[in-house]
Amino acid sequence: MSEQITLSLSEVKSLSESILTQHGFNADHANAITEIIYSNQLADCHSHGLFRLFMCTESIRSGRVSGTAQPIIEDAGPAVIKANAQDGVSLLAMQAAMPKLISKAKHNGIAALAINRCFHFSALWPEVEILSQAGLAGMAMLPSHAWVAPAGGTRGLLGTNPFAFSWPRDGQVPFTFDFATSQFARGEIELYRRAGKPLPEGVAIDQEGQPTTDADAAMQGAMLTFGGHKGSALSLMIELMAGPLIDDLTSKESMAFAEDKPEAPYHGEIILAFDPDLLSGGQRAANQQRAERLFADVIDQGARLPSQRRQAAQQRNLARNAVNIPKSLYDDLITLQSL
Amino acid sequence: MSEQITLSLSEVKSLSESILTQHGFNADHANAITEIIYSNQLADCHSHGLFRLFMCTESIRSGRVSGTAQPIIEDAGPAVIKANAQDGVSLLAMQAAMPKLISKAKHNGIAALAINRCFHFSALWPEVEILSQAGLAGMAMLPSHAWVAPAGGTRGLLGTNPFAFSWPRDGQVPFTFDFATSQFARGEIELYRRAGKPLPEGVAIDQEGQPTTDADAAMQGAMLTFGGHKGSALSLMIELMAGPLIDDLTSKESMAFAEDKPEAPYHGEIILAFDPDLLSGGQRAANQQRAERLFADVIDQGARLPSQRRQAAQQRNLARNAVNIPKSLYDDLITLQSL
């Protein structure tokens, strides 16, 4: 393990905010982005924690990401909110629209938030957990770039298309998952490439559309979805739900828009909220117990709930009011802060 | 291939209706069930076509399935309909509630239908295609019986938990998929067992929770989800969304309720409807073209859209106004008709 240093939780926040404002994000954007980076770092999700500040600052330096865009939030139907991020990072639009999504879901039983015209770099679990903190179930999905081939195909078309879900538990951390519909994350293949290690079977195809375990060939070719044709179908659904359904880009369109610039992908996102009170016909309490029996049955047979490891890290780091990060990352962040 | 006979499409319907009424379903239930059995048989989906009449008639003979239940359809929120099937087969409740779901989705942008207290034996794709025929995107899911182990687990807890999605295409058959979140369908394992063939790896575990390729041991043990921990997470979501969220049974509760009776499983179902007009902010037409480019990109690289094979069978059988079924099935149905 590389040399680690310990940062207090308030240092995580202040370091993130200072780097973001230093690079041109206004206070509102810096706060919104920091909130999510902090959530990830608190949970030891290093890839989406402070490490993401490099992507944020590269994105704004490329010149197309607005650090001052004011999101426009409007009703698009009694149970639909549209949040136009106006070429900013998604997170300020998401945070501004979330209270409206919550109130619409509690009034209607179900509601949808479409975030449009946003640059996106963050994990989805903190977003659906905002809903579960409000007592709602939440679902979120979005495209990315066309790195992933559909089942039976030969080249990239689909994004790594994450899908997240959260269920509110009384007095406990929520049941949450957040997974890419690609078999591997893009960064994982890059790690294999750097380590010169062969990929497992079933992760990627080469430029000719043939199965490959060579990480270089995979980066030139395409990744595969998890779960064969079922994962591929799900990924196509995510393209539709977070693209054409809400008037925003598919992964292929997003990749063309990016023109190989080192930015976060530009596209849309859909978040759905479900009210257990209305949907259960007022039987929420009894059904919370039913859900708890389901979770207990998972754990009793030695299996894990999807986010158990992450949630344990959250609890641990909250209790000690600190996180550990690699010293090399810290040094790079301090350099970034002074650029 | 076994000996086949040809039935006209009207013979499919009249045979189904006559068997169902003969066994105690009233005309409304017989029509609703026949509509879905017909859709499946038309599409050469034999496992959910006329073959299902054996399960229907066994279910009603077991004495707990009502053939005359009048579903109660009521609003449970501005964007939520609850359909209480009152211990009948799900399909009459589904059909009675669908026009309300469609009108709520078109008014609100998104809406949910919870079907409760129903016996369920049908594929989900015809249900989400009712939504796409009305110009809406649709999603449906439900539990079944606790035959499937969660990832990392040792025994059955989850159902085969199907998930279906449909997207409306102008002037074309919809984009639709409908898959079990178990790696295999239960019936597939039974076919391996009868043929004395070993199962592929990764499909099942034995009673000790160890991987097995023995179909007998698999039937005694548990099935696995598709796609490892991601498929398992999705299956848990389906337990929650179509169980506690809507005040209905989990797969484990449904299996306990069944007491090994040869009935269709008893539980709930959730169907979600999404209006592309409202969710796209009135940009439906341009986004239909965007979706069509996505589909064309799948096909151009030699991959198939999920339901292409089924939809080709539908077109073929519609054009010739007939379907083929095995003569042995037909003979058994004629016997059933006279019981």
Side-chain angles (χ1 to χ4, degrees):
Chain A
M1 199 166 175
S2 60
E3 189 186 349
Q4 302 283 304
I5 71 149
T6 301
L7 289 182
S8 75
L9 299 185
S10 67
E11 282 174 302
V12 172
K13 288 196 180 180
S14 60
L15 183 59
S16 170
E17 288 187 355
S18 106
I19 289 173
L20 290 165
T21 49
Q22 172 72 17
H23 285 78
F25 288 98
N26 70 14
D28 286 346
H29 277 285
N31 287 342
I33 296 169
T34 294
E35 189 65 36
I36 296 297
I37 282 180
Y38 167 80
S39 294
N40 280 280
Q41 197 62 59
L42 180 66
D44 288 349
C45 298
H46 295 286
S47 64
H48 287 76
L50 290 166
F51 176 70
R52 283 280 149 150
L53 289 168
F54 299 104
M55 189 191 234
C56 288
T57 53
E58 269 182 16
S59 285
I60 200 165
R61 270 205 299 267
S62 86
R64 299 202 291 187
V65 178
S66 167
T68 58
Q70 184 65 35
I72 301 168
I73 317 287
E74 49 192 14
D75 281 13
V80 177
I81 303 132
K82 280 182 89 75
N84 184 333
Q86 299 213 93
D87 298 354
V89 166
S90 65
L91 295 167
L92 183 59
M94 184 276 293
Q95 287 189 357
M98 219 46 140
K100 280 173 182 276
L101 176 63
I102 291 167
S103 104
K104 272 192 189 293
K106 291 196 172 178
H107 177 72
N108 293 296
I110 176 172
L113 164 61
I115 304 175
N116 290 115
R117 320 286 178 262
C118 67
F119 290 90
H120 201 288
F121 65 81
S122 45
L124 293 180
W125 66 262
E127 307 190 3
V128 288
E129 288 196 353
I130 293 172
L131 296 173
S132 54
Q133 277 155 23
L136 303 172
M139 206 184 274
M141 48 196 124
L142 43 81
S144 63
H145 277 179
W147 293 309
V148 182
T154 56
R155 53 181 188 267
L157 172 64
L158 310 170
T160 50
N161 295 6
F163 183 92
F165 176 77
S166 189
W167 173 267
R169 299 175 68 186
D170 294 341
Q172 296 216 51
V173 291
F175 168 91
T176 305
F177 64 81
D178 177 1
F179 62 70
T181 49
S182 53
Q183 181 76 278
F184 264 31
R186 188 119 186 114
E188 280 178 279
I189 296 190
E190 180 59 22
L191 289 178
Y192 275 82
R193 197 186 64 76
R194 287 195 205 174
K197 285 202 316 194
L199 296 166
E201 305 273 349
V203 166
I205 53 178
D206 64 19
Q207 273 187 301
E208 278 69 50
Q210 297 303 313
T212 185
T213 58
D214 181 90
D216 266 321
M219 293 298 275
Q220 300 299 316
M223 299 157 70
L224 296 174
T225 62
F226 90 102
H229 72 277
K230 295 180 183 181
S232 176
L234 207 59
S235 182
L236 274 162
M237 176 190 84
I238 294 171
E239 292 285 331
L240 294 165
M241 289 283 296
L245 182 68
I246 60 165
D247 184 36
D248 220 312
L249 305 185
T250 60
S251 293
K252 187 179 174 188
E253 291 172 322
S254 177
M255 190 137 114
F257 174 88
E259 296 173 336
D260 287 328
K261 291 194 169 65
E263 301 166 342
Y266 180 75
H267 50 62
E269 170 179 2
I270 190 166
I271 306 179
L272 309 177
F274 305 86
D275 181 37
D277 274 319
L278 289 181
L279 281 153
S280 70
Q283 302 302 309
R284 186 186 167 284
N287 283 284
Q288 281 294 104
Q289 291 179 23
R290 171 175 273 157
E292 290 304 320
R293 285 194 297 273
L294 177 69
F295 301 142
D297 281 336
V298 171
I299 292 164
D300 283 353
Q301 60 175 278
R304 243 199 290 255
L305 294 178
S307 296
Q308 246 174 277
R309 224 181 302 214
R310 171 175 64 68
Q311 289 165 339
Q314 278 172 328
Q315 303 303 319
R316 203 167 51 235
N317 289 333
L318 266 180
R320 66 189 189 119
N321 190 35
V323 297
N324 286 358
I325 66 169
K327 179 162 187 312
S328 59
L329 170 62
Y330 181 73
D331 293 343
D332 289 347
L333 289 168
I334 295 300
T335 305
L336 187 63
Q337 192 177 26
S338 64
L339 282 183
Chain B
M1 198 165 174
S2 60
E3 190 186 350
Q4 300 285 303
I5 73 149
T6 301
L7 289 183
S8 74
L9 298 186
S10 67
E11 283 174 300
V12 172
K13 287 196 181 184
S14 59
L15 183 59
S16 170
E17 289 186 354
S18 107
I19 289 173
L20 290 165
T21 49
Q22 171 73 17
H23 284 79
F25 290 98
N26 70 14
D28 287 345
H29 277 286
N31 286 341
I33 296 170
T34 293
E35 189 64 38
I36 296 296
I37 282 182
Y38 168 80
S39 295
N40 279 281
Q41 197 61 60
L42 180 66
D44 287 348
C45 298
H46 294 285
S47 63
H48 287 78
L50 290 166
F51 175 69
R52 284 279 148 153
L53 288 168
F54 299 104
M55 187 190 236
C56 288
T57 53
E58 269 182 17
S59 285
I60 200 165
R61 270 204 299 265
S62 86
R64 301 202 290 188
V65 178
S66 167
T68 56
Q70 184 64 35
I72 300 168
I73 317 288
E74 50 192 14
D75 282 12
V80 176
I81 303 131
K82 280 183 90 73
N84 184 331
Q86 298 213 93
D87 297 354
V89 166
S90 65
L91 295 168
L92 182 59
M94 184 277 293
Q95 287 187 357
M98 220 46 142
K100 279 173 181 275
L101 177 63
I102 290 167
S103 100
K104 272 192 188 292
K106 292 196 173 179
H107 176 72
N108 293 298
I110 177 172
L113 164 61
I115 305 174
N116 291 115
R117 320 285 179 259
C118 66
F119 289 89
H120 201 288
F121 64 81
S122 45
L124 293 181
W125 65 263
E127 306 189 3
V128 287
E129 288 196 354
I130 292 171
L131 295 173
S132 55
Q133 278 154 23
L136 303 172
M139 205 184 275
M141 49 198 123
L142 45 80
S144 63
H145 277 180
W147 293 307
V148 182
T154 55
R155 53 183 189 266
L157 173 64
L158 310 170
T160 51
N161 295 5
F163 183 91
F165 175 78
S166 189
W167 174 265
R169 299 175 68 185
D170 293 341
Q172 296 214 51
V173 290
F175 168 91
T176 305
F177 64 80
D178 177 0
F179 62 70
T181 49
S182 52
Q183 181 76 278
F184 264 31
R186 189 119 184 115
E188 280 178 278
I189 295 190
E190 179 59 23
L191 289 177
Y192 275 83
R193 197 186 62 77
R194 285 195 207 176
K197 284 202 318 193
L199 295 167
E201 304 274 348
V203 166
I205 52 178
D206 65 19
Q207 273 187 302
E208 277 70 50
Q210 297 302 312
T212 185
T213 58
D214 181 87
D216 266 320
M219 294 298 275
Q220 300 298 318
M223 299 159 67
L224 295 173
T225 63
F226 90 102
H229 72 276
K230 295 180 183 182
S232 176
L234 208 60
S235 182
L236 273 162
M237 177 190 84
I238 294 171
E239 292 285 332
L240 293 165
M241 290 283 295
L245 182 68
I246 61 165
D247 184 37
D248 219 314
L249 304 186
T250 59
S251 292
K252 187 179 173 188
E253 291 172 321
S254 176
M255 190 138 115
F257 175 87
E259 296 173 336
D260 287 329
K261 290 195 169 63
E263 302 166 343
Y266 180 75
H267 50 63
E269 171 179 2
I270 189 166
I271 306 179
L272 308 177
F274 306 88
D275 180 39
D277 274 320
L278 290 181
L279 281 154
S280 70
Q283 302 301 311
R284 187 186 166 285
N287 283 285
Q288 281 294 105
Q289 291 179 23
R290 171 175 274 157
E292 290 303 321
R293 285 194 298 273
L294 177 69
F295 301 142
D297 281 335
V298 171
I299 292 164
D300 284 353
Q301 60 174 279
R304 243 198 289 253
L305 294 178
S307 295
Q308 244 174 277
R309 225 181 302 216
R310 170 174 65 68
Q311 290 166 339
Q314 278 173 327
Q315 302 305 318
R316 203 168 52 235
N317 289 334
L318 266 181
R320 68 189 187 117
N321 190 34
V323 297
N324 286 356
I325 65 168
K327 181 165 184 312
S328 58
L329 170 62
Y330 181 73
D331 292 343
D332 288 346
L333 288 169
I334 295 301
T335 305
L336 187 63
Q337 193 177 25
S338 64
L339 282 186

